[in-house]
Amino acid sequence: MLEPGSTIGILGGGQLGRMMAMAALQLGFRVIGYAPPGDNVASSACDDFFANGWGETNALAAFASKCDRVTWEFENVPLSALEAIPENLLAPHPRALGIAQDRLKEKRFVEDLGATCAPYGRVDSDEDFARAVERIGTPGILKTVRDGYDGKGQWRIASAQEAQGVRFPGRPCIYEGMVEFETEFSVILVRDAGGEVRFWDSTANTHEGGMLVHSVLPAGSLVEAQVDEARAIARATAEALNYVGVLTLEFFATRSGPVFNEMAPRVHNSGHWTIEGAATSQFENHVRAITGLPLGGAGTRFARIDMRNIVGEEAGSAYRILAEEGEPHLHLYGKKEARAGRKMGHVTRVSNDAS
Ligand code: AMP
């Protein structure tokens, strides 16, 4: 167990790091961030911040030498960067990142644990793509194997005719059949070094253009009927990785059961509601798990939860939300540029009202 005043290093400088840092500060830790130069909104919640590239091994070593534990908030931290950090400082173990950074490895790993995935095929050329479309059919999605997030690196293919006009993007991809789902949901768990696992309730999630925009509880009867099966897969994944920290698995709720989409070895946008809505937030429990503190309860404190992302230009008028009824909880991330499709903040509404 780390002592009060110990230092947690966070790799990545985005809003997840900012909210994780705020939870760590509350528990009396010091926080140092590390991310390549840019609009690193985590830096204002850190005691110190290294704005250095992932290839700068001397800077990474200097950062690590100041930390008692190092974690990440960003899934695409290159594994080579993690090699510059002593392994005993890292939590979770980097093997989880190695799998989650590669859509093929990720699907195979979770399939081996019993999950169902959408039909998929590896695409390394125009010929592979044509073969995959023929075998799997349309509609489907072509996705880069690496570096995709929030719908980036994805191309939706509506028909065989449309597929003929699509060229291989030059990076390893997979082609996936489009899943006919009723809704999407995520399983978020925390696991400590002793193997204790706690789950937060699963929200029903809505995405637009591949990006999460809305999460609600209750999630509805279909999700509720599928959560146990999805949790068993998530627990098996955490155990197989000997995972320590918060782990997220995303699923499609279909008429024939949960279909695994992807995993994130980190805190997740669909868990932002836990700050106000759960006994302990995903951010705090991640910090507790990686520092060896007792885990907090993950129970939901309200009958109804509604979390909506604030995207792009919406941020400019976000303070108006504070005048709305129901005591909305507004979070703005302090990003300088409100680009279209950029997550600028979120608002969580909680209530015990019937309706
Ligand atoms: P991903 O980056 O793989 O999580 O994809 C982002 C979002 O795109 C998902 O949350 C879904 O809303 C949608 N999506 C991705 N893959 C599929 C699929 N095979 N079938 C249907 N929708 C998908």
Side-chain angles (χ1 to χ4, degrees):
M1 192 190 294
L2 294 188
E3 299 291 322
S6 302
T7 301
I8 297 177
I10 301 177
L11 298 164
Q15 65 267 19
L16 299 176
R18 178 179 168 104
M19 290 183 270
M20 192 188 290
M22 286 158 85
L25 293 177
Q26 185 185 328
L27 286 171
F29 292 111
R30 283 175 45 79
V31 182
I32 306 183
Y34 187 109
D39 190 4
N40 287 312
V41 295
S43 66
S44 40
C46 291
D47 295 288
D48 196 1
F49 198 89
F50 284 66
N52 292 95
W54 298 125
E56 292 185 51
T57 28
N58 288 341
L60 281 161
F63 159 78
S65 72
K66 292 174 184 266
C67 298
D68 299 298
R69 189 71 78 245
V70 175
T71 191
W72 57 77
E73 60 97 50
F74 174 62
E75 200 169 316
N76 291 320
V77 177
L79 294 183
S80 54
L82 296 179
E83 280 163 17
I85 294 168
E87 197 178 305
N88 66 335
L89 289 186
L90 286 164
H93 192 282
R95 71 173 79 85
L97 267 190
I99 293 168
Q101 286 176 354
D102 182 313
R103 287 188 188 273
L104 276 168
K105 281 191 192 159
E106 170 181 86
K107 284 187 195 292
R108 286 180 193 140
F109 190 84
V110 182
E111 268 179 330
D112 282 348
L113 296 169
T116 304
C117 295
Y120 64 94
R122 186 185 176 123
V123 174
D124 290 323
S125 64
D126 284 330
E127 294 72 40
D128 285 349
F129 179 53
R131 265 194 299 272
V133 171
E134 197 175 305
R135 178 169 64 83
I136 293 162
T138 54
I141 309 191
L142 184 66
K143 299 180 179 177
T144 55
V145 167
R146 295 179 157 273
D147 294 332
Y149 69 98
D150 287 351
K152 296 182 179 67
Q154 298 190 2
W155 299 270
R156 288 170 187 243
I157 317 287
S159 64
Q161 197 187 7
E162 194 181 312
Q164 280 171 7
V166 174
R167 294 274 75 84
F168 170 61
R171 290 185 281 160
C173 285
I174 61 169
Y175 178 71
E176 248 177 62
M178 193 73 86
V179 176
E180 275 190 42
F181 59 82
E182 305 290 313
T183 182
E184 295 185 64
F185 68 101
S186 41
V187 172
I188 309 181
L189 64 76
V190 62
R191 184 174 185 272
D192 71 12
E196 183 177 347
V197 172
R198 298 194 179 176
F199 294 97
W200 283 272
D201 277 337
S202 286
T203 53
N205 301 329
T206 309
H207 292 75
E208 279 171 19
M211 188 177 86
L212 180 78
V213 289
H214 191 203
S215 293
V216 287
L217 274 178
S221 55
L222 190 72
V223 171
E224 282 158 14
Q226 299 189 5
V227 156
D228 285 350
E229 188 179 338
R231 283 186 176 181
I233 292 161
R235 181 190 286 274
T237 304
E239 278 165 8
L241 294 166
N242 199 12
Y243 194 89
V244 175
V246 169
L247 173 71
T248 308
L249 272 75
E250 293 183 75
F251 293 88
F252 302 115
T254 75
R255 294 217 176 115
S256 50
V259 172
F260 168 75
N261 178 30
E262 65 173 1
M263 73 182 213
R266 54 165 171 77
V267 289
H268 196 256
N269 190 171
S270 62
H272 289 358
W273 65 272
T274 63
I275 297 174
E276 292 89 7
T280 313
S281 78
Q282 60 167 352
F283 302 102
E284 181 170 340
N285 258 347
H286 182 76
V287 171
R288 291 194 194 197
I290 63 166
T291 56
L293 301 186
L295 295 180
T300 305
R301 297 167 55 224
F302 298 91
R304 253 155 256 287
I305 307 274
D306 183 301
M307 189 290 302
R308 196 171 277 285
N309 279 342
I310 295 167
V311 180
E313 296 292 335
E314 287 169 11
S317 54
Y319 288 147
R320 281 190 214 150
I321 293 170
L322 296 173
E324 292 173 13
E325 294 211 351
E327 306 297 346
H329 298 280
L330 176 67
H331 298 249
L332 287 182
Y333 307 144
K335 294 186 182 178
K336 292 196 189 87
E337 213 188 314
R339 285 194 300 273
R342 192 165 192 221
K343 292 171 180 169
M344 303 298 292
H346 71 268
V347 56
T348 301
R349 295 178 170 87
V350 296
S351 90
N352 283 320
D353 299 347
S355 74

